[in-house]
Amino acid sequence: MKRVLLTGMMVISLILTSCGGGDGLFGTDSTTVVIGIGQQSTDSSTSAPQSVIPPSVRYVRIVISGTGMDPIERTVDAATCNTVEEVFQVPNGPNRHFTVYAYDDAETLLYYGDEHKSLNGMPTSVTVTMASMADQTPPVFGGVGTATVVSGSQIDLAWSAATDDSTQQQDLVYLVYIATSPGGQDFLVPPSFTTPAGATSFSVTGLASATTYYFVVRAMDESGNIDGNTVEVSATTLNTTPPSSGDTMPPTFGGVETATPVSGSQIDLTWTAATDNVSASSNIVYLIYIATTSGGQDFLVPPSFTTPAGATSFSVTGLTSATTYYFVVRAKDEAGNVETNTVEVSATTLFSMH
């Protein structure tokens, strides 16, 4: 039997079933939550995943909380168990917060995970992925070294590889933050670019002509630890005018309409499709600009995200817990024309210990 464990991860499956009461296929006030705990692995003799608690885990603490309910807390002995199954009766309501902690004999926190789920008595499911807490040391990184101008829209960055206590250099990735003023990078906003693993250079494209950009590059290891350097380099793109395609009219777009927090790291955005004099709505893409202050988006910097063509919604991920974000979405047609709306929506990510 071959078993391949997911490195540093425990997968907690929460299977939510109906509660009792009356003839009661579904309850009106609460949901019965059956929580099965184990580390996902693959057994070569079957096609289904197995669940096994790592032997280092001695006990698990489960906390369930939310608005309008008293927190539910339970500690489960896992010292002699391959799996654990616990049943909870959880009051119905929005954004119930399921938090799971796994400890060893010395009461050292080995794994942590949390997830939010709204309960209404109906069957549903959620998976909490628990990250290893063993590695909490960020890489050692001297920061970006050089910025070289290539064209009116491209600047190339280079640096010396970072080192880390647990991640090999070829597995480190780098986060590229960009601003148009010195020190203007916002590290709470997802980076403009994330490099492939092991990179020591990166070509930043999509920049504006004759514009000075300021760059900070940070290293991230496999556990998600990010170094905090603020080494900054700058360069100015060449003064060039792109050739006209004949279509110079931008799309007509009303801007982003809603922002809905989903978790401690995700907010979902929606809007009504733009129209254009040449491009079909199905071929229009949307540029998502993010700030942590109202009106703080920098439209000369490449957007944090670009949607697939024709999208009318997007899930913004990689956000910081319990933080308010401000979003502007702009439409771009096939000729590269971008409309300039400044319609802004905001939302605050849910609280999470991640």
Side-chain angles (χ1 to χ4, degrees):
M1 180 178 72
K2 182 180 179 182
R3 175 165 289 148
V4 181
L5 297 180
L6 297 178
T7 304
M9 307 289 280
M10 287 174 58
V11 177
I12 310 301
S13 296
L14 284 69
I15 305 168
L16 309 176
T17 64
S18 64
C19 72
D23 62 359
L25 181 58
F26 303 118
T28 57
D29 299 321
S30 63
T31 299
T32 300
V33 181
V34 182
I35 303 182
I37 302 174
Q39 183 172 32
Q40 192 177 73
S41 61
T42 300
D43 184 337
S44 61
S45 65
T46 70
S47 59
Q50 303 284 306
S51 289
V52 178
I53 294 177
S56 56
V57 175
R58 290 296 177 262
Y59 68 94
V60 174
R61 186 162 65 94
I62 303 167
V63 179
I64 306 171
S65 59
T67 302
M69 64 168 284
D70 293 329
I72 301 171
E73 182 172 342
R74 187 178 302 172
T75 299
V76 181
D77 183 3
T80 59
C81 303
N82 286 330
T83 60
V84 167
E85 184 174 274
E86 292 291 312
V87 180
F88 298 83
Q89 200 72 20
V90 182
N92 293 332
N95 291 325
R96 294 320 191 204
H97 190 191
F98 296 86
T99 311
V100 187
Y101 309 83
Y103 298 88
D104 64 10
D105 276 332
E107 298 189 355
T108 301
L109 180 62
L110 300 181
Y111 300 91
Y112 167 84
D114 73 334
E115 190 55 81
H116 292 80
K117 191 74 177 185
S118 295
L119 303 181
N120 59 7
M122 298 288 289
T124 184
S125 63
V126 61
T127 296
V128 179
T129 300
M130 299 186 69
S132 171
M133 304 300 289
D135 176 19
Q136 299 186 62
T137 303
V140 176
F141 182 46
V144 60
T146 63
T148 304
V149 178
V150 176
S151 70
S153 61
Q154 179 177 331
I155 294 173
D156 287 353
L157 307 178
W159 54 85
S160 298
T163 59
D164 189 67
D165 61 341
S166 61
T167 300
Q168 297 296 312
Q169 286 184 323
Q170 65 266 25
D171 295 321
L172 296 171
V173 300
Y174 298 86
L175 313 180
V176 180
Y177 297 90
I178 309 175
T180 52
S181 60
Q185 302 83 10
D186 189 339
F187 300 110
L188 292 177
V189 169
S192 295
F193 300 96
T194 299
T195 73
T200 55
S201 64
F202 189 79
S203 295
V204 179
T205 58
L207 303 177
S209 170
T211 303
T212 300
Y213 289 92
Y214 298 83
F215 303 90
V216 172
V217 178
R218 291 182 167 182
M220 182 173 71
D221 65 20
E222 291 179 298
S223 296
N225 301 305
I226 301 171
D227 90 279
N229 89 81
T230 54
V231 174
E232 185 179 69
V233 296
S234 65
T236 302
T237 51
L238 300 179
N239 187 0
T240 59
T241 302
S244 173
S245 66
D247 174 16
T248 59
M249 185 176 295
T252 299
F253 181 47
V256 63
E257 295 171 355
T258 67
T260 305
V262 176
S263 70
S265 61
Q266 178 177 328
I267 292 173
D268 288 353
L269 307 178
T270 65
W271 55 86
T272 301
T275 59
D276 188 68
N277 64 320
V278 175
S279 297
S281 292
S282 58
N283 293 327
I284 294 174
V285 300
Y286 298 86
L287 313 181
I288 298 175
Y289 297 90
I290 309 175
T292 51
T293 58
S294 181
Q297 302 83 9
D298 188 340
F299 300 110
L300 291 176
V301 169
S304 295
F305 299 95
T306 299
T307 73
T312 55
S313 63
F314 190 81
S315 294
V316 178
T317 58
L319 304 178
T320 300
S321 166
T323 301
T324 300
Y325 288 91
Y326 298 84
F327 303 91
V328 173
V329 177
R330 290 182 168 182
K332 184 173 78 170
D333 65 19
E334 292 175 290
N337 301 305
V338 180
E339 53 82 33
T340 58
N341 88 82
T342 56
V343 174
E344 183 180 71
V345 296
S346 66
T348 302
T349 49
L350 302 177
F351 174 77
S352 168
M353 287 184 63
H354 282 310

